[in-house]
Amino acid sequence: MKFSNMFIPTTKEAPKDATLPSHQFLVRGGFVNQVGAGIYNFMPLGKIVLEKIRAVVKEEMDNAGANEVQMGFVTPTSLWEESGRASTMGPELLKFRDRKNTSFVLSPTNEEALVDMVNNRITSYKELPINLYQINTKFRDEARPRFGLMRGREFLMKDAYSFHSTHEDLVREFNLMEKTYKKVYERLGLEFRIVEADSGAIGGSGSKEFMILANSGEDTIAVCDSCDYGANVEAATRKPNKKEALETKEIQKIHTPNCKTIEEVSNFLNIDAYYSIKAVIKKAIYENSSEVVVFFVRGTDELEETKACNAVEALEILDATPEDLQSANLVAGYCGIIDLPKDIKVIVDSELKDDNNVVCGANEQEYHLTGVDLTSLDLTFKDLILVQEGDTCPHCDGKLSYTKGIEAGHIFQLGTKYSSAMNATFLDANGKAQPFIMGCYGIGVSRLVAAVIEQNHDEKGCIWTKPTAPFMVDVIVSNAKKEDELEVGEKIYNSLKENQIETILDDRKNARFGFKMGDFELIGFPYAVVIGKKLKDGMVEIIDRKTLEKIDVSIDEVVSKLIELIN
Amino acid sequence: MKFSNMFIPTTKEAPKDATLPSHQFLVRGGFVNQVGAGIYNFMPLGKIVLEKIRAVVKEEMDNAGANEVQMGFVTPTSLWEESGRASTMGPELLKFRDRKNTSFVLSPTNEEALVDMVNNRITSYKELPINLYQINTKFRDEARPRFGLMRGREFLMKDAYSFHSTHEDLVREFNLMEKTYKKVYERLGLEFRIVEADSGAIGGSGSKEFMILANSGEDTIAVCDSCDYGANVEAATRKPNKKEALETKEIQKIHTPNCKTIEEVSNFLNIDAYYSIKAVIKKAIYENSSEVVVFFVRGTDELEETKACNAVEALEILDATPEDLQSANLVAGYCGIIDLPKDIKVIVDSELKDDNNVVCGANEQEYHLTGVDLTSLDLTFKDLILVQEGDTCPHCDGKLSYTKGIEAGHIFQLGTKYSSAMNATFLDANGKAQPFIMGCYGIGVSRLVAAVIEQNHDEKGCIWTKPTAPFMVDVIVSNAKKEDELEVGEKIYNSLKENQIETILDDRKNARFGFKMGDFELIGFPYAVVIGKKLKDGMVEIIDRKTLEKIDVSIDEVVSKLIELIN
């Protein structure tokens, strides 16, 4: 392809709201342009990259034996009512009515549609398993679409859904998908980590995320420095942080003026904050109701909000407002576990199960209790805590540390959540109807375009990995009005193409050399060949985009040298 | 691929509303399933066919130098307000509001979005021409979605938009696209005809349609038996149908009781109906208004409604109701061209321009006028007539006849309609701002899946053309529980695959031979190889799906024989 025949509108101006390098460089490099909030067009270079990623995903899914399908993007709301998600998904699920006043949604994911497609078409365990996937447009009406392609509303996703007659077979496919995804990200040339994850709105038990490591990642993941354990902090666990148990004491009520924080209380009482418990008061939002919940964690720990949300099976949890506290008769800063108002839901972190002598609020202004024995109370314990850097790995004695990742894939063992809700069954070997056992598996294809750049860029622009680069080599004719330069450029360009190397020729007559170099650096082709001043000595220059190193080679050797560098 | 690993849910039941063979067989063959009115999922076999067609379209567009892009499917209504189509497109343009109450549409086509993308990114005539295309989902909220994939609401379309600095360059690209489309349909193995067309809601001047010839086609096209002229009847013309002119006479008013039709009047007056004119009364609908219009055509001709609609630049025209006639003071059955109520719009067919002695209604119950001289009146003439079979070709002396076609492609010379409305300009060689001169070019990719079958089927099912077949050969193991049969089947299957022949192995253990043969015929793979009874003599059978002819070949020869048949 030649620059002169391609629409590559590079620009110096980044969007005002672009904080991420990928957002800035993909817009500036002429890869994408914004249509509306969270909606992007892919311009020619962006489309090439998108298709390269799509092709790798498709090939690996096909290799794994999955069948490609293409589902309607517009689906009837009635399907979503069968599963219950028409209401539980909230405003992210964009609903509208057609000219006949029938309600439809723009599909944000497709569990319901696939269950509906398979139901009554697969009737016997003999026809299972099957894994159906598509690479298709999705829409989620995000409250705050941002970061360019990273968190758009309209995006391209590979979503796959597998159907099984036994849980063991689901686990086999889940593991196969994990391997398949690994191949995808490896082939794309990305550094990534597979981590344990929260299942979120999709539901089911057991899920793993594929995190592209990048400083700008929205997700924090905890990784072990010794084994391969990694988990999204939403789901990360640790070996319990145990200190010596104290002796049991009588409960005492103590006047603690101005001691609203754990630090204030433990200083005032001169105790280790480890032996105190902290109340975190939240408002849990359900489909048709809400309630105030008090979560207790150790004074030295923090509440992890996703774990808290899952613990009470809420749609989301919000910080309780002063009004919420007042209406629930809770005393801010002095909320404790004894004598709480009746009907207040209480969840306690599992690590506190054996604690027999802790400090907590007295549910009375300026008073705390000491000597509280949690083992004597009837409590609900759940894992609630945010693991910290330095905590001990749950699988070995290594230490956990944080790193940042971009979620680019997520695989779920769904089980029968959707098939049961939608009454989709097959006959098992005994002729008995059973709900399909399902898995589902997503890859954010358009998000990956941005993720490659988040992981691979410098201050000048994009640095595409070889498998994702729109073209491998940019043959830059310094001055395309000079016939000899253009002729050599075209010769090298044709020769590279004959060698199956994807090449673009910068033959623009009205662009100066500096502008062409700027475009090369901004767009980020892996290599450039510059035909310029040294041509009189029969030499051209190869530039490596990543290192920006330059080497002089003779015209005759340039193609073989590039082949050597590329492989 | 093996049948046992693929989701191919064939069925004996066709949808109740399926009148077209493609609708019946694509559903019965497990290619597609309906999600909602006019919305279909592509199941694995359907997806393969869709992708084959997409790949051919992409390859030919790329060969023609067009750049692939991918536009947002959801676009802001504000873009459509700039062009004016937010209101003129009517309810086919599906609008909805997002969670922030901003209005969006599901793109039915993308002129506006492309103009917006190119505007300010291409600023000089030196950067022109460019042709940008995408193969992407579209949505049109049709009043009566029907015929399966043929007239769906959600569909896959290739849409391309070219931008030029001169009209000559637009014509060059238009001709290149015509050639490119020809290659696409030829490569798909389809019989088609390129015809002159009405430009419809897209607008612009000069358009051609690509009609896949099939009895079930919704479009009627007039074709010449002698030259290559062809046109949609909406746009077809003919050499004027001229009879000898009569002598001019005085106007006479004649009592014509019970003569409401041309036949009745001409019989009553004993004249040739050719020398009468017929009033066709319509109601023209505009963006914010409507009006009654009287169209006059020769007594022996019929009004072509699309031409009538274009003649008054209406959004659509409806039959006038008795109430419309009454409010416009028109006399049903006796409406004539003289002394019509003032302010009634009148359009006369161009072929009547020189008629100096015709019969028409007197605008009075039971009276007609004779001797009406149209040349003495101040009239607006437009081409209004529906060409008839037997009419003379406009380009030669051949005769026109009708045939049926499925519109599978449409190319337009748009001109500056959208760029002017949206104020999208480039600087010409004199530094003067000029609106982009545009073309646009569409191919109905998902409709082509159905069109292939409309043209290629029998009473048993689909007969895919070789380039569109989901697999070229179906290796049928008659009884897959017999190890020798299965072994030979697998051997042939592997050997065909090694020879790059797309093959599916029907290895289903729980399906009987008759069922497998039924699936072969219904699905319509070009060839089957049956491994059955003759295996003991070392023979298998090849079946040609199109002719259903069977030939016996030895196991050793089957692959080479198939290669010979395929090429």
Side-chain angles (χ1 to χ4, degrees):
Chain A
M1 187 52 81
K2 296 179 179 181
F3 256 89
S4 58
N5 294 334
M6 205 161 168
F7 179 55
I8 308 178
T10 57
T11 169
K12 288 194 171 163
E13 282 168 47
K16 280 179 195 145
D17 63 336
T19 52
L20 292 193
S22 66
H23 190 179
Q24 293 164 2
F25 293 140
L26 290 174
V27 170
R28 288 193 46 214
F31 292 91
V32 299
N33 76 297
Q34 190 170 1
V35 190
I39 307 173
Y40 285 82
N41 294 329
F42 286 80
M43 296 195 282
L45 283 183
K47 178 65 174 169
I48 295 176
V49 175
L50 187 70
E51 284 308 301
K52 290 201 162 199
I53 297 174
R54 180 211 285 262
V56 169
V57 173
K58 174 173 168 54
E59 223 174 274
E60 292 303 335
M61 289 302 292
D62 288 344
N63 287 345
N67 290 184
E68 193 175 13
V69 298
Q70 183 171 308
M71 310 300 289
F73 176 44
V74 171
T75 54
T77 308
S78 55
L79 271 182
W80 295 77
E81 278 158 358
E82 281 186 51
S83 72
R85 285 206 290 186
S87 47
T88 58
M89 277 203 71
E92 274 196 18
L93 184 68
L94 196 144
K95 295 177 199 140
F96 61 88
R97 289 181 178 274
D98 69 0
R99 68 195 285 166
K100 287 180 177 147
N101 207 32
T102 307
S103 180
F104 285 88
V105 310
L106 296 184
S107 302
T109 169
N110 281 79
E111 284 76 9
E112 286 82 355
L114 265 291
V115 169
D116 184 63
M117 189 162 92
V118 166
N119 195 19
N120 297 321
R121 290 193 176 86
I122 289 182
T123 53
S124 158
Y125 73 100
K126 292 174 188 165
E127 297 162 73
L128 295 172
I130 195 83
N131 187 343
L132 301 169
Y133 80 96
Q134 65 164 346
I135 303 174
N136 207 351
T137 305
K138 304 285 181 294
F139 197 93
R140 285 185 197 167
D141 201 359
E142 295 264 359
R144 286 183 56 221
R146 56 195 186 280
F147 305 145
L149 297 183
M150 202 62 90
R151 189 165 287 277
R153 294 198 294 174
E154 184 176 316
F155 55 97
L156 190 68
M157 186 167 103
K158 189 285 293 175
D159 45 330
Y161 309 86
S162 68
F163 297 82
H164 309 271
S165 58
T166 65
H167 185 72
E168 294 68 50
D169 195 54
L170 165 60
V171 172
R172 177 202 51 73
E173 186 75 14
F174 183 84
N175 292 337
L176 174 61
M177 284 295 110
E178 180 175 338
K179 267 187 215 146
T180 301
Y181 276 37
K182 250 183 100 173
K183 278 187 211 155
V184 167
Y185 301 114
E186 278 166 5
R187 280 186 59 185
L188 295 176
L190 290 166
E191 262 191 273
F192 65 100
R193 187 114 189 184
I194 304 172
V195 303
E196 291 176 14
D198 172 62
S199 298
I202 302 285
S205 68
S207 84
K208 288 190 179 178
E209 283 171 336
F210 295 75
M211 291 289 181
I212 310 303
L213 303 181
N215 294 333
S216 61
E218 273 196 284
D219 285 278
T220 300
I221 56 186
V223 295
C224 176
D225 62 9
S226 158
C227 76
D228 66 357
Y229 176 74
N232 193 311
V233 288
E234 294 172 356
T237 59
R238 67 183 182 197
K239 282 228 173 71
N241 232 339
K242 277 290 180 194
K243 291 197 182 178
E244 203 178 346
L246 302 180
E247 274 176 43
T248 304
K249 286 205 176 160
E250 287 283 295
I251 290 185
Q252 267 198 303
K253 185 162 133 188
I254 297 179
H255 187 226
T256 51
N258 296 320
C259 292
K260 292 195 163 189
T261 68
I262 291 293
E263 195 185 1
E264 285 160 354
V265 175
S266 48
N267 285 343
F268 184 86
L269 299 176
N270 195 24
I271 57 152
D272 182 345
Y274 176 89
Y275 298 106
S276 69
I277 66 173
K278 176 158 65 183
V280 187
I281 308 170
K282 294 282 177 182
K283 188 170 186 175
I285 309 295
Y286 303 97
E287 204 175 322
N288 301 306
S289 65
S290 65
E291 68 174 331
V292 170
V293 182
V294 185
F295 297 96
F296 286 98
V297 296
R298 195 177 292 290
T300 46
D301 281 328
E302 298 296 333
L303 181 75
E304 209 300 313
E305 300 228 347
T306 301
K307 291 181 178 180
C309 189
N310 292 341
V312 293
E313 294 178 19
L315 297 181
E316 58 177 330
I317 58 167
L318 308 174
D319 288 341
T321 62
E323 293 72 39
D324 292 331
L325 266 69
Q326 203 169 9
S327 70
N329 286 317
L330 295 175
V331 186
Y334 293 91
C335 181
I337 205 157
I338 308 270
D339 291 335
L340 269 168
K342 273 180 191 167
D343 303 334
I344 287 281
K345 187 177 277 181
V346 172
I347 311 281
V348 185
D349 180 58
S350 306
E351 288 194 26
L352 291 168
K353 221 170 215 163
D354 302 326
D355 277 50
N356 58 348
N357 179 350
V358 296
V359 172
C360 69
N363 292 314
E364 193 182 327
Q365 283 293 350
E366 313 219 320
Y367 283 93
H368 275 83
L369 303 180
T370 62
V372 174
D373 181 0
L374 298 176
T375 67
S376 70
L377 303 172
D378 182 21
L379 297 169
T380 303
F381 292 96
K382 296 262 168 96
D383 173 23
L384 295 178
I385 56 106
L386 176 72
V387 300
Q388 305 285 355
E389 292 198 283
D391 284 350
T392 307
C393 172
H395 295 171
C396 74
D397 291 329
K399 292 295 168 202
L400 298 179
S401 63
Y402 284 173
T403 184
K404 289 285 182 183
I406 298 164
E407 184 196 336
H410 203 156
I411 59 177
F412 298 85
Q413 294 179 24
L414 277 182
T416 60
K417 175 175 168 171
Y418 294 91
S419 51
S420 292
M422 297 177 71
N423 205 18
T425 60
F426 65 94
L427 296 179
D428 68 15
N430 302 317
K432 209 185 138 196
Q434 301 281 4
F436 292 104
I437 297 167
M438 291 175 63
C440 78
Y441 319 94
I443 291 183
V445 177
S446 50
R447 179 182 279 185
L448 272 170
V449 176
V452 173
I453 296 311
E454 287 306 321
Q455 196 175 77
N456 303 280
H457 65 270
D458 60 17
E459 74 288 356
K460 289 168 187 281
C462 306
I463 304 174
W464 294 100
T465 63
K466 287 172 192 166
T468 59
F471 293 95
M472 187 64 80
V473 180
D474 177 12
V475 176
I476 300 175
V477 180
S478 298
N479 182 347
K481 287 175 183 164
K482 288 193 180 165
E483 270 183 29
D484 58 338
E485 284 191 15
L486 189 58
E487 196 179 302
V488 171
E490 286 190 335
K491 207 180 111 192
I492 296 172
Y493 166 72
N494 287 324
S495 171
L496 286 167
K497 285 208 302 178
E498 276 159 27
N499 282 282
Q500 271 48 268
I501 295 172
E502 291 165 335
T503 306
I504 187 163
L505 178 69
D506 197 342
D507 60 340
R508 289 175 292 178
K509 287 207 164 68
N510 297 289
R512 282 184 303 177
F513 174 65
F515 188 84
K516 292 177 180 177
M517 269 302 291
D519 274 358
F520 162 63
E521 290 169 344
L522 174 60
I523 294 170
F525 304 110
Y527 299 99
V529 174
V530 179
I531 295 110
K533 284 179 201 158
K534 293 166 191 160
L535 184 61
K536 62 182 189 304
D537 309 319
M539 302 295 278
V540 296
E541 197 172 66
I542 294 176
I543 307 177
D544 180 321
R545 173 63 188 88
K546 197 169 181 176
T547 61
L548 294 175
E549 278 171 7
K550 299 173 181 182
I551 47 172
D552 289 336
V553 288
S554 72
I555 295 172
D556 295 341
E557 286 167 344
V558 65
V559 172
S560 58
K561 183 66 190 173
L562 276 166
I563 292 172
E564 180 194 321
L565 288 170
I566 290 163
N567 295 326
Chain B
M1 187 53 80
K2 296 178 178 183
F3 256 89
S4 58
N5 294 334
M6 204 163 170
F7 180 55
I8 308 179
T10 57
T11 170
K12 288 195 169 162
E13 281 168 50
K16 280 179 194 145
D17 63 336
T19 51
L20 292 194
S22 66
H23 190 179
Q24 293 164 1
F25 294 140
L26 290 174
V27 170
R28 288 191 48 213
F31 293 91
V32 299
N33 76 297
Q34 190 170 0
V35 189
I39 307 173
Y40 286 83
N41 294 329
F42 286 81
M43 296 195 282
L45 283 184
K47 178 65 174 169
I48 294 175
V49 175
L50 187 69
E51 284 308 302
K52 290 201 162 199
I53 296 174
R54 180 212 284 264
V56 169
V57 173
K58 176 174 167 51
E59 224 173 274
E60 292 303 335
M61 288 302 291
D62 288 344
N63 287 344
N67 289 186
E68 193 176 14
V69 298
Q70 183 171 308
M71 310 300 291
F73 176 44
V74 171
T75 53
T77 308
S78 55
L79 270 182
W80 295 77
E81 279 159 356
E82 282 186 51
S83 73
R85 285 204 291 185
S87 47
T88 57
M89 277 203 70
E92 274 197 18
L93 184 69
L94 197 144
K95 295 177 201 141
F96 61 90
R97 288 181 178 274
D98 69 1
R99 68 195 285 166
K100 287 180 178 149
N101 207 32
T102 307
S103 181
F104 285 88
V105 311
L106 296 184
S107 302
T109 169
N110 281 79
E111 284 76 8
E112 287 81 356
L114 264 292
V115 170
D116 184 62
M117 190 162 94
V118 165
N119 195 19
N120 297 321
R121 290 192 176 85
I122 289 183
T123 52
S124 159
Y125 73 100
K126 291 175 189 165
E127 297 162 74
L128 295 172
I130 195 81
N131 187 344
L132 301 169
Y133 80 97
Q134 65 164 345
I135 303 174
N136 206 351
T137 306
K138 304 286 179 295
F139 196 93
R140 286 186 195 165
D141 201 359
E142 294 263 0
R144 286 183 57 219
R146 58 196 184 279
F147 304 145
L149 296 184
M150 202 62 87
R151 189 165 287 278
R153 294 198 293 173
E154 183 176 315
F155 55 97
L156 190 68
M157 186 167 102
K158 188 284 294 175
D159 45 330
Y161 308 86
S162 68
F163 296 82
H164 309 270
S165 58
T166 66
H167 184 74
E168 293 66 51
D169 195 54
L170 164 61
V171 171
R172 177 202 53 72
E173 187 75 15
F174 182 84
N175 293 336
L176 174 62
M177 284 296 110
E178 180 175 338
K179 268 188 213 145
T180 300
Y181 277 38
K182 251 185 100 173
K183 277 187 210 156
V184 167
Y185 302 113
E186 277 167 5
R187 279 185 59 183
L188 295 176
L190 290 166
E191 262 190 274
F192 65 99
R193 186 115 189 184
I194 305 172
V195 303
E196 291 176 14
D198 172 62
S199 298
I202 301 286
S205 69
S207 84
K208 288 190 180 180
E209 283 170 336
F210 294 76
M211 290 288 181
I212 309 303
L213 302 181
N215 294 333
S216 61
E218 274 196 282
D219 285 278
T220 301
I221 56 185
V223 294
C224 177
D225 62 9
S226 160
C227 74
D228 65 358
Y229 176 75
N232 194 311
V233 288
E234 294 172 357
T237 59
R238 66 182 182 199
K239 281 227 174 72
N241 231 338
K242 278 289 179 193
K243 291 197 180 180
E244 202 177 348
L246 300 180
E247 272 176 46
T248 305
K249 286 203 176 163
E250 287 283 295
I251 290 186
Q252 264 198 303
K253 186 162 133 187
I254 297 181
H255 187 226
T256 52
N258 297 318
C259 291
K260 292 197 164 190
T261 67
I262 290 292
E263 196 187 359
E264 285 160 353
V265 176
S266 47
N267 284 343
F268 184 85
L269 298 177
N270 195 25
I271 56 152
D272 183 345
Y274 176 87
Y275 298 105
S276 67
I277 65 173
K278 176 160 62 183
V280 188
I281 307 170
K282 294 280 177 184
K283 190 172 183 174
I285 310 295
Y286 304 96
E287 204 175 324
N288 301 307
S289 65
S290 66
E291 68 175 331
V292 169
V293 182
V294 185
F295 296 96
F296 285 98
V297 298
R298 196 177 291 290
T300 47
D301 281 327
E302 299 295 331
L303 182 75
E304 209 301 312
E305 301 227 346
T306 301
K307 290 182 178 181
C309 189
N310 291 341
V312 295
E313 293 178 18
L315 297 181
E316 58 176 331
I317 59 168
L318 308 175
D319 289 341
T321 62
E323 293 72 37
D324 292 330
L325 265 71
Q326 203 168 11
S327 70
N329 287 316
L330 295 175
V331 186
Y334 292 91
C335 181
I337 206 157
I338 307 269
D339 291 335
L340 272 167
K342 272 179 192 168
D343 301 335
I344 286 280
K345 187 176 275 180
V346 172
I347 310 280
V348 184
D349 180 57
S350 306
E351 288 195 25
L352 291 169
K353 220 172 217 166
D354 302 325
D355 277 49
N356 58 350
N357 180 350
V358 297
V359 171
C360 69
N363 292 315
E364 192 181 327
Q365 282 294 350
E366 313 220 319
Y367 282 92
H368 276 84
L369 302 180
T370 61
V372 174
D373 181 0
L374 299 177
T375 65
S376 70
L377 303 172
D378 182 21
L379 298 169
T380 303
F381 293 96
K382 296 263 168 96
D383 173 23
L384 296 178
I385 57 109
L386 176 71
V387 300
Q388 306 285 353
E389 292 199 283
D391 284 349
T392 307
C393 172
H395 294 172
C396 73
D397 291 328
K399 292 294 165 200
L400 298 179
S401 63
Y402 284 173
T403 184
K404 289 285 182 184
I406 297 164
E407 184 196 335
H410 203 157
I411 59 177
F412 298 85
Q413 294 178 25
L414 277 182
T416 59
K417 176 175 169 173
Y418 294 91
S419 50
S420 293
M422 297 176 72
N423 204 17
T425 60
F426 65 94
L427 295 180
D428 68 14
N430 303 316
K432 208 184 141 198
Q434 301 281 4
F436 292 104
I437 296 168
M438 291 175 63
C440 78
Y441 319 94
I443 291 183
V445 177
S446 51
R447 178 182 280 185
L448 273 170
V449 175
V452 173
I453 296 311
E454 287 306 321
Q455 196 175 78
N456 304 279
H457 65 270
D458 60 17
E459 73 289 355
K460 290 168 188 279
C462 306
I463 305 174
W464 294 100
T465 63
K466 288 171 193 168
T468 60
F471 293 95
M472 187 65 79
V473 180
D474 177 13
V475 177
I476 300 174
V477 180
S478 299
N479 183 346
K481 288 174 182 163
K482 288 191 180 166
E483 273 183 27
D484 58 338
E485 283 191 15
L486 189 57
E487 197 178 302
V488 171
E490 286 189 336
K491 208 180 110 196
I492 295 172
Y493 166 70
N494 287 325
S495 169
L496 286 167
K497 286 207 301 176
E498 277 159 27
N499 282 281
Q500 272 44 269
I501 296 172
E502 290 166 334
T503 307
I504 187 163
L505 177 70
D506 198 341
D507 59 341
R508 289 175 293 178
K509 287 205 162 71
N510 296 290
R512 282 185 302 177
F513 173 65
F515 188 84
K516 292 177 182 178
M517 268 302 292
D519 274 358
F520 162 63
E521 290 169 344
L522 174 60
I523 294 170
F525 305 110
Y527 299 99
V529 174
V530 178
I531 295 112
K533 282 177 200 157
K534 293 167 190 159
L535 184 60
K536 61 182 190 305
D537 308 319
M539 302 295 278
V540 297
E541 197 173 67
I542 294 176
I543 307 177
D544 180 320
R545 173 63 188 89
K546 196 168 181 179
T547 61
L548 293 175
E549 279 172 5
K550 300 174 181 182
I551 49 172
D552 289 336
V553 289
S554 72
I555 295 172
D556 296 340
E557 285 167 344
V558 65
V559 172
S560 58
K561 183 67 190 171
L562 276 166
I563 292 172
E564 181 194 320
L565 287 170
I566 290 164
N567 296 326

